[in-house]
């Protein structure tokens, strides 16, 4: 509960933060709400020598329409996402997911950019950005690039971000007309997911699946899109049996996690049950 | 014994849900816990064993001691040289353990060295520089491990991992078995869990060189005993230690045995020139604070076909971990009320305390009674099923009846009052039993798995200390008692100093209610100090906040001290008013003539004589208006294996729970949670309600969520609140409460225990409900916690949780 010694910086501009990051690289950690990082530091499981707090950079906290997409600043809190009218209208999946992250205190402090960059394999937001087909903006001193959500999560606590890059924006397509849901299995409502399933569907006549994107968290070393499952349902008429049969493929090709809260067998089972329930709930929403 | 009418002169406050005096201060963060005390301190950190079982072959603190900012270091070897071993209480085999491991570690988290530094960060850094070489030994983790013939010995000198093995028989058990139509036997397993109060253990120790003595501030729940334990271990006379207990941020029994750390801090304080502070971290608390032991209980009922239980036999095996001070205690407390609410006439108990390489255990809320009630009430359900009786019916047939009160159990426990059958009936009415059963049966037709669970339970309070006599002979402590000082100040307001310190129970509020009704004033005029200072406060070896004893002996002492003050005030008033004491009455902060209330003297005027104009006092009356009193429970018996009451008051309750189990995910959801509770007369029904709900939530946590999980190496895997799962406000059911008030004839106010209550029957009630819900699958519940994975596995394969 007593972290190692570290040096703290509170840059007021992105440029300044990037400069600090380019100097300290792997020895530095970005503080973006601190709901995960500070706990790890207090247990001395994370021991950064330099902490660069992004909380004082004004232009990283926004939710705004940008053409047919919605742009969310990386330092936007879960609470702001949960309460955003714009997102509720055009990208409700992010609202639904942010609403069940942690508890009120966590939602008031934690940020979407912090969660995604931290890449906890059981965090909620990664599932939602995967299912909504979002793109993530990585900025470094000499430029920027866009990373697709599917390519962003590499493994536990590891993303596609280079040591000198900062995630500054999440851009999600507007999903009007889509059916979306995020459901998670967790011992208590405030916990990390044992498995969390985000679903985004476009239904045609007779419940034919015209588009499907799913995000799975908690099951593996990283959040992922279950491609075999999506493929199995694409173009199909979504009835109870089709969904149940396809749900069995949610962990296909995945090495499923095991810890004291769930064995891998139970976790796989829950992934299937929650996948089926998520699709059914989304259809009925 | 004083009668209620002799105690209370008004009935304006006792029995009313008066708002808690404590809350504003606590909610605003104005409490003064140990860590809030404004003192210039050094800080200590403790190096803990990473192994469950290992020899320490070398320890080197040179580098740690050389770190800038480090002012002192301490090793286990030094502790072993300077102190006596930890005193054992219940165990009968020799087992030598010091407050810090010297040559061998016996659990992950056992202290092996300590560092004092200018701040805690430096102290923690220094721990990383301590070099320790361990020779790992094979760990003994489970009860089954410990009992193997070739098991490694945790304490070699004991020659066994069974440190206590006692057998007791009461009533004619052979006859019970002879007359029985059938016997039913089952084995139950209860896991390790604990209470984890918000404030962990906290100690500041200061060594005063000039007087060669210590002053210690600590959130100790049983300071009366700790004072002796610390001084004996340090080998110093009692007057060399002044122990001060400020606000306590929750206890639940977990702070009953933190005194070994007071010994460590005292040794550290002696090495430096400033007070030394140690605030336990949450990880330390979960890792090596204190747990309730895991246990295997085998239980057998000897029954008649009509459901009457003639005899009860238990074999109780406790995994007490490695802490010789408390080992064995759980079994003995369990044994005390093993017959529960039932009029069973013959019992046999075999109690084993097992030492393993798990963390220490201490008296967690309910001390074994949750486990005992779980096993008994599960067994009663199993019997009901076997005999084709409704679970409510078998209980009604066996309950002690109200006209049998006071009832003495085979081993000598006295159930003083209560209407157990009506308590159950009231709960069944509240839940709408028939309707609930219909809903359950209808649900099954549509794939909804609903279950109803009933559990009754006796909730004992006020330990007759020395219950651990059974195995060791006459104990150091017997009975139970507490002290209090009550004074009237110059203004006629009341100050109370208790022998115990509140850790959330609302002592100041309830004390004020009682004193107000004893003196005919309002509770605002009564202040209660929430600090214990061994130099100033009244206290006994029994003093502290534990065992639900406040309503009985603590308030008993307050009442007796208030009565002394009141008698003295009446004597002075009688002199001032020129009337006899019999002609006087107390009203609105005055003493007046009963027949002519106009003629009166105020408390202030009386106090003025007592404190200032002392020449006007009547002949033979001492100046001053402050009295001390000690009060002991009147029905405690002396230790005797044949006839002994281990607990001195007995509340009771019934929980009726309706759950729905999602058989696809294994989750248990509450549909209803009904509690009918009887703790005798209530002083403050608001506080009682809070305690009943709070303790029930604790039981829900134990039943469904909380578990200290160890691996085969004896490593604890749940060392943060992300893995040790406490229930939160979101996710607990809405509680529906009913109350009964069967006055206790042996406490001054007719009160009985409250506080542990809900944590006792809740385990069985939930387990019974889950088993009922899963009856279409033939699932039997014999262990806890009921996790989703276990539910699913039982439904699909094993048929047993």
């Amino acid at each position: 509960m007593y972290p190692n010694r570290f040096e703290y910086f509170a840059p007021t501009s992105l440029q300044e933060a990037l400069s600090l990051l380019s100097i300290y690289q792997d020895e530095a950690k970005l503080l973006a709400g601190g709901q995960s990082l500070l706990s790890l530091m207090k247990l001395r499981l994370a021991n950064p020598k330099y902490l660069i707090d992004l909380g004082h950079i004004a232009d990283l906290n926004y939710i705004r329409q940008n053409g047919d997409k919605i742009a969310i600043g990386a330092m936007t809190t879960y609470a702001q996402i949960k309460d955003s009218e714009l997102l509720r209208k055009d990208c409700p999946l992010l609202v639904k997911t942010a609403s069940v992250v942690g508890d009120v205190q966590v939602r008031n402090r934690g940020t979407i950019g912090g969660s995604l960059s931290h890449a906890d394999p059981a965090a909620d937001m990664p599932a939602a950005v995967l299912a909504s087909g979002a793109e993530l903006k990585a900025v470094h001193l000499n430029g920027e690039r866009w990373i697709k959500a599917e390519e962003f999560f590499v493994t536990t606590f590891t993303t596609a971000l280079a040591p000198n890059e900062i995630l500054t924006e999440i851009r999600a397509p507007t999903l009007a007309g889509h059916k979306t849901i995020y459901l998670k299995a967790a011992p208590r409502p405030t916990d990390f997911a044992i498995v969390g399933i985000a679903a985004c569907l476009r239904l045609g006549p007779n419940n034919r699946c015209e588009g499907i994107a799913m995000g799975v968290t908690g099951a593996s070393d990283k959040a992922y899109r279950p491609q075999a499952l999506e493929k199995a349902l694409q173009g199909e008429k979504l009835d109870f049996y089709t969904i149940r049969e396809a749900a069995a493929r949610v962990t296909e090709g995945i090495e499923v996690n095991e810890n004291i809260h769930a064995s891998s067998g139970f976790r796989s089972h829950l992934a299937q049950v929650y996948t089926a329930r998520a699709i059914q709930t989304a259809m009925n929403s | 014994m004083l009668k209620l009418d002799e105690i209370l002169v008004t009935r304006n406050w006792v029995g009313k849900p008066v708002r808690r005096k404590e809350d504003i201060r606590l909610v605003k963060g104005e409490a003064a816990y140990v860590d809030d005390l404004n003192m210039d301190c050094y800080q200590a950190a403790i190096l803990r064993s990473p192994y469950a079982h290992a020899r320490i072959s070398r320890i080197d603190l040179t580098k740690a001691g050389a770190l800038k900012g480090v002012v002192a270091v301490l090793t286990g070897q030094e502790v072993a040289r300077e102190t006596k071993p930890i005193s054992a209480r219940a165990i009968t085999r020799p087992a030598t353990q010091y407050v810090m491991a010297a040559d061998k570690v016996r659990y992950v988290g056992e202290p092996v060295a300590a560092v004092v530094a200018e701040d805690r960060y430096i102290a923690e850094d220094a721990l990383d520089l301590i070099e320790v070489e361990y020779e790992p030994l094979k760990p003994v983790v489970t009860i089954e491990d410990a009992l193997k013939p070739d098991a490694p010995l945790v304490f070699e000198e004991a020659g066994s991992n069974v440190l206590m093995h006692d057998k007791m028989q009461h009533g004619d058990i052979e006859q019970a078995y002879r007359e029985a139509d059938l016997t039913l036997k089952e084995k139950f397993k209860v896991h390790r869990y604990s209470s984890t109060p918000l404030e962990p253990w906290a100690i500041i120790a200061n060594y005063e060189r000039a007087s060669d003595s210590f002053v210690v501030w600590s959130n100790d729940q049983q300071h009366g005993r700790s004072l002796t334990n610390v001084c004996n271990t340090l080998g110093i006379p009692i007057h060399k230690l002044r122990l001060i207990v400020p606000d306590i941020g929750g206890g639940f029994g977990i702070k009953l045995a933190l005194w070994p750390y007071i010994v460590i801090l005292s040794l550290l304080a002696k090495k430096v020139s400033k007070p030394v502070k140690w605030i336990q971290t949450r990880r330390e608390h979960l890792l090596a604070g204190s747990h309730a032991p895991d246990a295997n209980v085998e239980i057998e009922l000897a029954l008649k076909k009509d459901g009457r239980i003639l005899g009860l036999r238990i074999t109780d095996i406790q995994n007490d971990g490695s802490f010789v001070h408390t080992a064995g205690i759980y079994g003995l407390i369990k044994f005390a009320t093993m017959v529960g609410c039932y009029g069973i006439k013959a019992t046999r108990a075999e109690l084993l305390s097992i030492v393993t390489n798990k963390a220490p255990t201490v008296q967690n809320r309910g001390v074994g009674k949750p486990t005992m009630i779980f096993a008994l009430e599960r067994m009663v359900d199993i019997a009901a099923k076997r005999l084709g009786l409704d679970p409510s019916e078998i209980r009604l047939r066996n309950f002690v009846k109200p006209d049998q009160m006071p009832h003495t159990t085979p081993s000598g426990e006295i159930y003083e009052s209560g209407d157990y059958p009506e308590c159950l009936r009231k709960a069944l009415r509240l839940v709408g039993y028939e309707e609930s059963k219909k809903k359950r049966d209808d649900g099954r037709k549509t794939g909804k798995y609903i279950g109803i669970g009933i559990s009754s339970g006796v909730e004992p309070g006020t330990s007759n200390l020395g219950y651990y006599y059974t195995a060791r002979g006459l104990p150091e402590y017997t009975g139970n008692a507490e002290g209090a000082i009550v004074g009237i100040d110059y203004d006629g307001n009341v100050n109370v100093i208790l022998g115990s310190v509140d850790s959330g129970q609302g002592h100041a509020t309830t004390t004020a209610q009682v004193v107000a009704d004893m003196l005919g004033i309002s509770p605002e005029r009564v202040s209660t100090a929430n600090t214990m200072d061994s130099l100033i406060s009244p206290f006994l070896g029994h003093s502290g906040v534990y065992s639900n004893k406040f309503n009985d002996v603590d308030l008993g002492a307050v009442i007796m001290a208030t009565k002394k003050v009141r008698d003295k005030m009446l004597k002075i008033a009688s002199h001032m008013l020129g009337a006899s004491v019999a002609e006087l009455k107390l009203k609105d902060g005055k003493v007046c003539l009963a027949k002519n209330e106009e003629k009166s003297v105020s408390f202030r005027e009386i106090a003025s004589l007592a404190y200032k104009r002392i020449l006007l006092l009547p002949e033979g009356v001492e100046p001053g208006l402050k009295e001390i009193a000690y009060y002991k429970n009147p029905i405690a018996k002396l230790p005797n294996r044949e006839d002994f009451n281990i607990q001195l008051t007995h509340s009771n309750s019934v929980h009726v729970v309706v759950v729905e189990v999602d058989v696809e995910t294994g989750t248990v959801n509450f549909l209803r949670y009904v509690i009918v509770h009887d703790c005798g007369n209530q002083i403050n029904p608001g506080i009682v309600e809070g305690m009943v709900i709070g303790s029930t939530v604790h039981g829900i946590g134990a039943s469904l969520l909380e578990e200290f999980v160890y691996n085969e190496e004896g490593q604890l895997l749940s060392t943060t609140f992300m893995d040790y799962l406490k229930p939160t406000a979101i996710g607990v059911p809405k509680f529906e409460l009913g109350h009964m008030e069967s006055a206790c004839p042996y406490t001054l106010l007719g009160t009985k225990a409250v506080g542990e209550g809900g944590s006792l029957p809740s385990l069985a009630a939930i387990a019974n409900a889950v088993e009922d819900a899963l009856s279409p699958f033939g699932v039997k519940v014999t262990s806890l916690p009921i996790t989703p994975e276990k539910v699913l596995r039982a439904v699909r394969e094993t048929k047993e949780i």
Side-chain angles (χ1 to χ4, degrees):
Chain A
M1 306 299 156
Y2 295 88
N4 269 309
R5 187 175 292 275
F6 60 88
E7 206 172 326
Y8 171 85
F9 299 99
T12 51
S13 71
L14 184 60
Q15 196 62 25
E16 198 185 333
L18 287 167
S19 304
L20 287 163
L21 194 57
S22 72
I23 297 168
Y24 298 119
Q25 304 241 354
D26 283 343
E27 290 186 329
K29 271 290 199 183
L30 300 173
L31 184 64
Q35 298 307 291
S36 300
L37 179 60
L38 294 188
S39 300
L40 292 175
M41 287 172 65
K42 282 159 88 173
L43 290 166
R44 297 195 170 196
L45 294 173
N47 298 296
K49 281 194 177 156
Y50 306 95
L51 204 55
I52 304 167
D53 187 351
L54 302 182
H56 300 268
I57 301 170
D59 50 2
L60 287 179
N61 185 337
Y62 53 84
I63 301 170
R64 56 185 173 234
Q65 190 88 38
N66 195 316
D68 60 349
K69 295 196 170 170
I70 297 177
I72 304 167
M75 289 298 287
T76 307
T77 64
Y78 304 117
Q80 288 168 325
I81 293 172
K82 172 178 162 284
D83 295 336
S84 160
E85 273 312 311
L86 183 59
L87 286 173
R88 188 177 305 280
K89 191 160 56 69
D90 287 339
C91 200
L93 178 57
L94 292 178
V95 175
K96 290 172 191 169
T97 309
S99 306
V100 297
V101 174
D103 53 24
V104 173
Q105 290 88 335
V106 168
R107 293 197 289 269
N108 281 339
R109 301 291 299 183
T111 63
I112 182 169
S115 168
L116 300 178
S117 305
H118 185 58
D120 187 305
D124 301 302
M125 292 317 289
V129 295
L130 282 165
S132 36
E135 289 189 313
L136 314 177
K137 184 178 176 183
V139 179
H140 54 94
L141 266 183
N142 305 315
E144 61 179 62
R145 63 181 176 127
W146 286 92
I147 307 170
K148 283 189 178 146
E150 293 124 275
E151 286 154 18
F152 187 77
F153 304 104
V154 176
T155 181
T156 305
F157 301 144
T158 310
T159 66
L161 288 171
N164 63 346
E165 283 180 320
I166 296 178
L167 171 64
T168 59
E169 186 177 295
I170 294 87
R171 206 167 279 191
T174 58
L175 295 172
H178 286 66
K179 303 266 192 187
T180 61
I181 194 72
Y182 177 69
L183 287 186
K184 72 167 159 178
R188 300 169 300 177
T190 50
D191 282 321
F192 274 99
I194 289 179
V195 289
I197 307 288
C200 180
L201 305 173
R202 207 174 64 244
L203 295 180
N206 290 326
N207 281 340
R208 194 158 301 283
C209 176
E210 293 185 347
I212 177 167
M214 310 273 295
V216 181
T217 190
S220 177
D221 65 336
K222 60 175 179 179
Y224 65 93
R225 279 184 68 166
Q227 279 158 0
L229 164 81
E230 291 177 4
K231 213 168 146 195
L233 289 178
Q234 180 67 43
E236 296 297 317
K237 182 169 175 287
L238 297 186
D239 58 33
F240 182 83
Y241 294 102
T242 316
I243 295 167
R244 289 268 151 168
E245 206 185 312
R249 308 185 69 174
V250 64
T251 54
E252 199 172 289
I254 297 294
E255 196 177 323
V256 177
N257 283 342
E258 181 153 82
N259 64 13
I260 59 170
H261 302 300
S263 68
S264 62
F266 181 59
R267 205 178 290 265
S268 302
H269 167 81
L270 282 182
Q272 293 173 26
V273 172
Y274 274 79
T275 297
R277 288 186 182 182
I279 294 171
Q280 279 153 348
T281 315
M283 286 169 64
N284 297 330
S285 67
Chain B
M1 235 173 76
L2 281 176
K3 296 205 165 52
L4 207 52
D5 282 340
E6 296 171 283
I7 297 167
L8 306 179
V9 302
T10 58
R11 297 293 179 95
N12 296 332
W13 308 105
V14 171
K16 305 272 163 59
V18 172
R19 270 186 181 271
R20 281 166 42 97
K21 275 170 173 275
E22 296 86 352
D23 288 344
I24 295 288
R25 190 171 74 92
L26 296 176
V27 168
K28 286 168 79 180
E30 289 167 358
Y33 301 107
V34 172
D35 202 20
D36 300 322
L37 301 175
N38 191 11
M39 271 189 260
D40 179 20
C41 293
Y42 286 134
Q43 300 261 1
I46 294 167
L47 184 72
R48 295 175 179 280
S49 168
Y51 291 99
H53 198 191
R55 284 203 187 284
I56 301 173
S57 51
R58 189 180 75 92
I59 181 160
D60 186 348
L61 279 81
T62 320
K63 283 183 194 156
L67 183 70
K68 190 170 177 291
V70 171
V71 290
V73 295
L74 179 71
T75 64
Q77 278 99 345
E78 200 178 335
V79 171
R81 279 197 305 275
E82 302 277 321
T83 65
K84 296 202 182 82
I86 295 170
S87 61
R89 286 186 285 178
I91 55 173
T92 49
R93 287 181 184 268
T96 307
Q97 184 178 25
Y98 289 91
V99 298
M100 196 177 266
D103 51 355
K104 179 171 152 170
V105 289
R106 295 187 175 85
Y107 60 91
V108 174
E110 185 167 14
V112 293
V115 172
V116 181
E118 281 164 9
D119 66 43
R120 180 69 179 258
Y121 297 92
I122 298 172
E124 295 285 338
D125 291 346
L127 294 187
D128 293 340
L129 300 175
I130 299 175
E131 293 168 11
V132 192
E133 275 172 27
Y134 294 96
E135 289 168 37
L137 300 166
K138 191 165 183 270
V140 179
V141 184
T142 63
I143 289 171
E144 291 74 17
D145 285 350
L147 292 178
K148 280 184 192 146
D150 60 342
L153 293 176
V154 179
F155 289 95
E156 285 82 0
E157 62 275 28
S160 166
N161 290 324
V162 182
L163 296 188
M164 184 192 84
H165 189 171
D166 203 359
K167 290 176 195 171
M168 277 183 286
Q169 190 166 311
H170 293 93
D172 194 338
I173 191 83
E174 281 80 18
Q175 190 194 350
Y177 274 76
R178 269 198 311 277
E179 288 179 3
D181 293 327
L182 73 159
T183 61
L184 289 173
K185 188 157 72 175
E186 192 59 70
K187 284 182 180 168
F188 297 97
K189 269 180 179 289
V190 175
H191 61 301
R192 273 196 170 219
Y193 62 96
S194 190
S195 287
T196 65
L198 267 183
E199 183 205 24
W201 297 354
I203 301 166
I204 296 173
N206 188 34
Y207 176 66
E208 294 179 346
R209 215 159 292 281
S211 59
D212 182 30
S213 64
F214 298 94
V215 185
V216 170
W217 292 260
S218 177
N219 51 4
D220 188 310
Q221 266 189 275
Q222 203 173 27
H223 51 270
R225 185 196 290 270
S226 293
L227 207 58
T228 311
N229 288 335
V230 172
C231 291
N232 285 351
T233 310
L234 286 171
I236 57 171
I238 294 287
H239 73 277
K240 294 288 184 189
L241 171 62
R242 179 178 175 190
L243 179 60
I244 299 171
V245 183
D247 281 322
I248 302 180
F252 314 104
I254 294 304
K255 292 168 180 164
L256 281 171
L258 53 76
W259 64 266
Y261 285 84
I262 298 182
V263 174
I264 295 176
L265 267 284
S266 299
L267 292 172
L268 292 171
K270 204 169 176 177
K271 289 170 177 262
V272 299
S273 54
K274 269 205 272 190
V276 180
K277 182 193 274 194
W278 172 68
I279 307 293
Q280 187 186 46
T281 64
R282 181 58 64 190
R283 187 168 179 278
E284 284 182 297
H285 186 82
L286 294 174
L287 187 68
S290 292
H291 303 167
D294 41 317
N296 292 356
V297 185
E298 185 182 279
I299 181 165
E300 187 173 63
L301 300 180
L303 292 141
K304 295 298 275 183
K305 273 186 203 146
D306 62 6
R308 276 180 301 140
I309 306 167
L310 305 181
L312 167 64
R313 195 186 60 76
I314 62 163
T315 304
D316 175 66
I317 311 178
Q318 294 284 144
N319 182 344
D320 280 321
S322 277
F323 188 39
V324 298
H325 185 63
T326 20
I329 279 175
Y330 268 75
L332 294 166
I333 293 194
K334 246 186 250 179
F335 147 79
T337 48
M338 63 188 273
V339 295
C341 294
Y342 307 113
I344 301 170
K345 293 199 171 60
T347 59
R348 179 185 287 162
E350 187 172 357
L351 312 170
L352 288 86
S353 169
I354 307 291
V355 60
T356 64
N357 297 118
K358 280 186 174 177
T361 55
V362 73
Q363 298 96 310
N364 175 56
R365 196 175 209 163
V367 201
K369 287 159 268 178
T371 301
M372 187 62 231
I373 293 177
F374 170 69
L376 178 64
E377 291 292 306
R378 279 271 44 243
M379 201 61 211
V380 169
D381 257 34
I382 290 169
K385 203 175 278 177
R386 174 70 179 273
L387 297 169
L389 290 169
D390 189 274
S392 64
E393 185 54 35
I394 192 168
R395 288 178 168 83
L396 290 170
R397 286 186 191 178
N398 283 289
F399 279 154
V400 175
K401 307 290 179 294
D403 60 4
Q404 295 169 326
M405 295 290 182
H407 166 81
T408 303
T409 70
S411 64
E413 204 75 11
I414 302 166
Y415 292 177
E416 48 290 292
S417 62
D419 187 341
Y420 301 168
E422 180 54 21
C423 189
L424 173 56
R425 284 191 214 103
K426 194 168 177 171
L428 296 178
R429 286 198 298 274
L430 258 174
V431 81
Y433 192 45
E434 292 309 317
E435 209 177 299
S436 296
K437 285 201 277 190
K438 189 175 177 303
K439 222 177 245 175
R440 170 193 67 189
D441 299 341
D442 289 347
R444 278 181 197 163
K445 292 172 200 154
T446 59
K448 279 166 95 82
Y449 297 94
I450 295 171
I452 307 167
I454 300 174
S455 174
S456 63
V458 161
E459 175 191 0
T462 323
S463 279
N464 184 359
L465 291 191
Y467 48 80
Y468 43 86
Y469 82 98
T470 45
R472 286 175 75 94
L474 194 68
E476 248 179 301
Y477 300 83
T478 55
N480 205 304
E482 189 55 272
I485 294 172
V486 174
I488 307 281
D489 69 12
Y490 295 179
D491 292 329
N493 293 320
V494 188
N495 296 299
V496 181
I497 303 174
L498 298 170
S500 63
V501 176
D502 176 285
S503 60
Q505 298 82 353
H507 289 180
T509 307
T510 38
T511 300
Q513 288 177 260
V514 173
V515 172
D517 268 346
M518 281 188 76
L519 296 178
I521 54 175
S522 77
E524 286 80 56
R525 292 184 62 177
V526 184
S527 326
T528 303
N530 199 41
T531 300
M532 196 300 302
D533 182 335
S534 64
L535 205 60
I536 298 161
S537 305
F539 69 93
L540 300 161
H542 309 77
S543 285
V545 52
Y546 61 92
S547 181
N548 293 338
K549 77 190 220 325
F550 179 78
N551 77 89
D552 175 2
V553 292
D554 299 43
L555 279 179
V558 169
I559 289 166
M560 298 320 279
T562 308
K563 185 164 180 310
K564 282 186 185 178
V565 170
R566 188 173 74 186
D567 288 348
K568 188 169 181 180
M569 284 205 297
L570 285 168
K571 204 165 180 182
I572 298 170
S574 144
H575 177 71
M576 293 168 83
L577 292 166
S580 73
V581 168
E583 292 172 281
L584 303 177
K585 72 177 216 181
L586 292 108
K587 197 182 172 191
D588 301 334
K590 291 181 189 133
V591 180
C592 54
L593 292 187
K595 287 188 177 157
N596 176 11
E597 294 184 3
E598 295 292 296
K599 208 168 168 212
S600 66
V601 284
S602 68
F603 286 11
R604 188 192 180 110
E605 289 165 316
I606 297 170
S608 158
L609 259 66
Y611 285 111
K612 301 169 190 166
R613 296 143 85 191
I614 57 173
L615 298 181
L616 302 181
L617 282 170
E619 193 71 29
V621 172
E622 273 180 25
L625 267 183
K626 185 175 274 191
E627 297 291 341
I628 188 165
Y630 298 94
Y631 178 82
K632 74 174 166 63
N633 176 289
I635 58 158
K637 303 177 199 173
L638 264 176
N640 170 359
R641 285 180 72 86
E642 303 308 314
D643 175 21
F644 185 44
N645 51 350
I646 288 180
Q647 308 271 345
L648 305 173
T649 69
H650 299 80
S651 298
N652 65 284
S653 62
V654 168
H655 289 211
V656 181
V657 180
V658 185
V659 300
E660 183 176 347
V661 181
D662 182 331
V663 297
E664 238 184 6
T665 62
T667 1
V668 175
N669 297 304
F670 291 99
L671 302 179
R672 301 284 296 278
Y673 204 114
V674 167
I675 304 167
V676 178
H677 187 262
D678 187 345
C679 58
N681 292 342
Q682 300 179 54
I683 298 165
N684 188 321
I687 289 178
V688 168
E689 191 168 311
M691 294 234 191
V692 170
I693 291 175
S695 57
T696 302
V697 171
H698 191 193
I700 291 173
S703 306
L704 302 177
L705 291 165
E706 300 180 36
E707 183 175 15
F708 289 114
V709 180
Y710 281 86
N711 70 9
E712 290 167 1
E713 299 301 312
Q715 291 291 341
L716 182 62
L717 304 178
S718 32
T719 61
T720 71
F721 277 155
M722 278 170 63
D723 288 323
Y724 187 79
L725 308 173
K726 305 295 292 184
T728 63
I730 317 169
V732 296
K734 176 174 169 278
F735 296 100
E736 299 164 77
L737 266 59
H739 288 285
M740 295 182 62
E741 290 193 83
S742 310
C744 175
Y746 309 126
T747 55
L748 290 178
L749 297 172
T751 56
K752 295 194 273 185
V754 63
E756 293 178 354
S759 66
L760 312 180
S762 41
L763 279 57
I766 293 166
N768 287 345
V770 170
E771 181 170 297
D772 185 39
L774 298 180
S775 60
F777 300 94
V779 168
K780 189 158 74 175
V781 181
T782 58
S783 74
L784 295 172
I786 303 169
T787 61
E789 183 158 2
K790 280 163 84 179
V791 169
L792 198 80
R793 203 185 309 131
V795 165
R796 301 196 155 194
E797 300 161 36
T798 59
K799 305 297 171 199
E800 186 162 351
I801 293 171

